[in-house]
Amino acid sequence: MAFVTRQFVRSMSSSSAASATAKKIVIKHVTVIGGGLMGAGIAQVAASTGHTVVLVDQTEDILAKSKKGIEESLRKVAKKKFVENPKAGDEFVEKTLSSMSMSTDAVAVVHSADLVVEAIVENLEVKNELFKRLDKFAPEHTIFASNTSSLQITSMANATTRQDRFAGLHFFNPVPVMKLVEDTPGFVVNRLLVPYLMEAVRLHERGDASKEDIDIAMKLGAGYPMGPFELLDYVGLDTTKFIMDGWHEMDPNNPLFQPVPSMNKLVAEKKFGKKTGEGFYKHK
């Protein structure tokens, strides 16, 4: 997405069939729905590239945690970016934070948004309910986007009246570090990555290797920065399960999309990984 590097101008046709003149939409105001790791990261990058950002979540406690995480992340970025000029780094952090605000009322803030990016639970019904509600209050020119990593964009766009102003923007975690954003159907990375992660779990379930050995093997043998079990805990087992459930529902006979019992058991026990303190591994 262009706003991760610069403010951008997007041309699109008027919703009026009688109008042949293209409208140019300048993205200045961004609303991000969801204050988790992904949403907070998206908000941080948008604010640090000159946009006014409102981060929305259900409670003030969640937003306070999000703000703290964003500030810590910004200071890490500033430390690397402004090695020779710490004062400039402090100014960068303060300027970015001043461009951000928090809210628990999505409806109240979308009226001024040029772009709304959704980064909530990977559940089509929940996402559609959100988009359908916001569609009634957002201006006509506002572009809606989902950070979904697996769900069909068309299915979400059809819950609104702005199918021509709806996009898929799949960021990668951690957003301030990862340069890739997918906006094409199919989500190439997850289509390759998730089956690999599930096969690693199946390998462990069969007793072929311990999860520790599998992680070490992929780091040393394939040069990956994290092993599959480490990555699953980082991404979130609940998120991965949502992806697998959706794919299995669409293609139940595909062997790559079959349920993985040990992961499903951990999710049922609310052991989602790093964010809950325990998943395949225990986290402090």
Side-chain angles (χ1 to χ4, degrees), residues 40 44 63-79 89-90 92-94 96-97 100 102:
Q44 175 184 327
L63 290 171
K65 184 178 179 181
S66 301
K67 186 175 181 180
K68 180 181 178 182
I70 290 171
E71 184 170 355
E72 290 174 353
S73 177
L74 281 170
R75 296 204 180 280
K76 290 179 182 178
V77 172
K79 189 175 181 180
D90 291 339
F92 164 77
V93 172
E94 295 306 318
T96 301
L97 291 175
M100 296 180 59
M102 310 286 172

Side-chain angles (χ1 to χ4, degrees), residues 12-258:
M12 66 182 188
S13 299
S14 168
S15 59
S16 171
S19 175
T21 305
K23 290 182 178 179
K24 290 187 175 181
I25 306 301
V26 179
I27 304 299
K28 294 182 178 178
H29 305 291
V30 179
T31 296
V32 180
I33 312 293
L37 285 174
M38 294 302 297
I42 295 167
Q44 175 184 327
V45 170
S48 66
T49 51
H51 301 81
T52 301
V53 180
V54 181
L55 181 60
V56 180
D57 212 307
Q58 295 177 324
T59 70
E60 295 289 352
D61 287 345
I62 294 174
L63 290 171
K65 184 178 179 181
S66 301
K67 186 175 181 180
K68 180 181 178 182
I70 290 171
E71 184 170 355
E72 290 174 353
S73 177
L74 281 170
R75 296 204 180 280
K76 290 179 182 178
V77 172
K79 189 175 181 180
K80 293 181 179 179
K81 189 175 181 180
F82 301 95
V83 176
E84 305 296 332
N85 192 347
K87 183 179 179 181
D90 291 339
E91 292 173 353
F92 164 77
V93 172
E94 295 306 318
K95 182 179 180 181
T96 301
L97 291 175
S98 70
S99 298
M100 296 180 59
S101 59
M102 310 286 172
S103 177
T104 56
D105 190 345
V107 168
V109 299
V110 296
H111 71 278
S112 61
D114 300 312
L115 173 67
V116 175
V117 182
E118 166 272 315
I120 62 174
V121 64
E122 192 74 345
N123 182 293
L124 182 61
E125 184 178 346
V126 176
K127 290 179 187 290
N128 281 352
E129 183 180 339
L130 171 69
F131 283 125
K132 185 176 181 180
R133 181 160 56 97
L134 297 184
D135 189 45
K136 299 175 182 178
F137 298 94
E140 182 182 356
H141 77 272
T142 304
I143 300 167
F144 281 8
S146 174
N147 184 57
T148 181
S149 57
S150 64
L151 302 174
Q152 292 184 342
I153 298 302
T154 303
S155 298
M156 286 177 274
N158 287 340
T160 75
T161 60
R162 59 188 76 217
Q163 288 88 346
D164 61 332
R165 287 149 289 149
F166 203 108
L169 292 177
H170 179 215
F171 292 81
F172 288 81
N173 193 21
V175 179
V177 176
M178 301 297 282
K179 297 180 180 180
L180 178 64
V181 179
E182 293 180 308
D183 60 359
T184 56
F187 301 111
V188 174
V189 173
N190 266 18
R191 183 59 183 79
L192 296 172
L193 177 63
V194 175
Y196 149 72
L197 296 174
M198 294 301 94
E199 187 56 27
V201 180
R202 294 187 185 105
L203 191 71
H204 176 53
E205 287 180 341
R206 291 194 298 265
D208 295 337
S210 69
K211 57 182 182 288
E212 292 84 0
D213 284 347
I214 294 171
D215 278 349
I216 291 171
M218 294 311 297
K219 287 189 286 187
L220 298 182
Y224 290 1
M226 301 175 75
F229 291 94
E230 292 172 324
L231 183 56
L232 279 164
D233 274 7
Y234 188 79
V235 170
L237 304 188
D238 54 332
T239 299
T240 307
K241 184 180 183 300
F242 272 125
I243 294 172
M244 286 295 291
D245 288 348
W247 287 352
H248 180 64
E249 184 177 345
M250 289 188 292
D251 190 2
N253 295 321
N254 192 323
L256 296 176
F257 302 156
Q258 297 308 303

Side-chain angles (χ1 to χ4, degrees), residues 244-281:
M244 286 295 291
D245 288 348
W247 287 352
H248 180 64
E249 184 177 345
M250 289 188 292
D251 190 2
N253 295 321
N254 192 323
L256 296 176
F257 302 156
Q258 297 308 303
V260 180
S262 61
M263 184 181 73
N264 291 352
K265 181 176 182 294
L266 288 171
V267 172
E269 295 170 351
K270 306 297 183 184
K271 296 175 181 178
F272 300 154
K274 189 175 181 180
K275 59 187 173 185
T276 59
E278 184 176 356
F280 283 107
Y281 294 113

